[in-house]
Amino acid sequence: MIPEQPSHRDLMDLALAEAKAALATGDVPIGAVVIGPDSTVLATGRNEREAHGDPTAHAEIVAIRAAAQALRDAGRGDGWRLEDCTLVVTLEPCAMCAGAIVLSRIPKVVFGAWDEKAGAVGSVFDILREPRLNHWVEVYPGVREAECAALLTDFFRARRLD
């Protein structure tokens, strides 16, 4: 019997929890989760740019690095190809993160809110489905979009009031 796959909506719960945890360090509340081929959580990540002073510490990058390490530690594959994994993230990935998704060979991305200013999965660019690249990704956009967008809107509204 094949185990039941968690729904995209359920997986977004995990990413939203990571996004909320980013608030503790003053980071923009974006969360990401990498789900392994067996539907278990391989790794999580949240924005950590403020926490670590690292401009590349986006939620997706943090989660991808942790997932690659988890695969290496488990002796599965070569550790950097995240084939058969799913990335779930609360905001449409930017160009840097989309590039990392392609390079790590993640085949499926689920995201919540669109990023009309810097999104690279359909808003500004569409890197994940660029036909000239060597890897293409299935994309499931707008999962729990209102909740994901509200978290960001509330964060930036509060920052403007400070």
Side-chain angles (χ1 to χ4, degrees), residues 106-142:
I106 294 172
K108 183 163 56 170
V109 170
V110 176
F111 73 85
W114 290 93
D115 185 348
E116 299 297 330
K117 294 180 181 176
V121 186
S123 289
V124 179
F125 305 105
D126 199 354
I127 293 171
L128 298 187
R129 294 172 285 204
E130 170 55 53
R132 294 171 290 185
L133 295 177
N134 64 340
H135 178 74
W136 304 280
V137 180
E138 278 183 81
V139 177
Y140 299 88

Side-chain angles (χ1 to χ4, degrees), residues 2 5 11-12 14-15 19 23 25-26 33 35 37 40 58 64 67 78 102-103 107 111 117 119-120 122 135-136 154:
I2 297 173
Q5 300 279 327
L11 294 172
M12 191 59 75
L14 303 170
L23 295 169
T25 56
V33 180
I35 306 300
T40 62
H58 289 202
I64 288 169
D78 55 19
V102 169
L103 292 173
F111 73 85
K117 294 180 181 176
H135 178 74
W136 304 280
D154 293 347

Side-chain angles (χ1 to χ4, degrees), residues 21-44:
L23 295 169
T25 56
D27 278 287
V28 177
I30 300 170
V33 180
V34 177
I35 306 300
D38 58 357
S39 298
T40 62
V41 175
L42 200 55
T44 62

Side-chain angles (χ1 to χ4, degrees), residues 68-84:
Q69 184 64 53
L71 288 175
R72 281 192 300 278
D73 291 348
R76 292 170 48 195
D78 55 19
W80 67 267
R81 285 184 183 91
L82 302 181
E83 298 167 327
D84 300 322

Side-chain angles (χ1 to χ4, degrees), residues 10-20 30-33 45 88-90 151:
D10 293 340
L11 294 172
M12 191 59 75
D13 272 338
L14 303 170
L16 281 163
E18 285 296 313
K20 291 172 186 170
I30 300 170
V33 180
V88 181
V89 61
T90 57
L151 189 58

Side-chain angles (χ1 to χ4, degrees), residues 19 28-30 47 90-92 113-115 146-158 160:
V28 177
I30 300 170
N47 270 9
T90 57
L91 182 67
E92 177 185 4
W114 290 93
D115 185 348
E147 290 171 76
C148 295
L151 189 58
L152 291 162
T153 301
D154 293 347
F155 173 79
F156 287 113
R157 182 178 296 124
R160 284 191 296 274

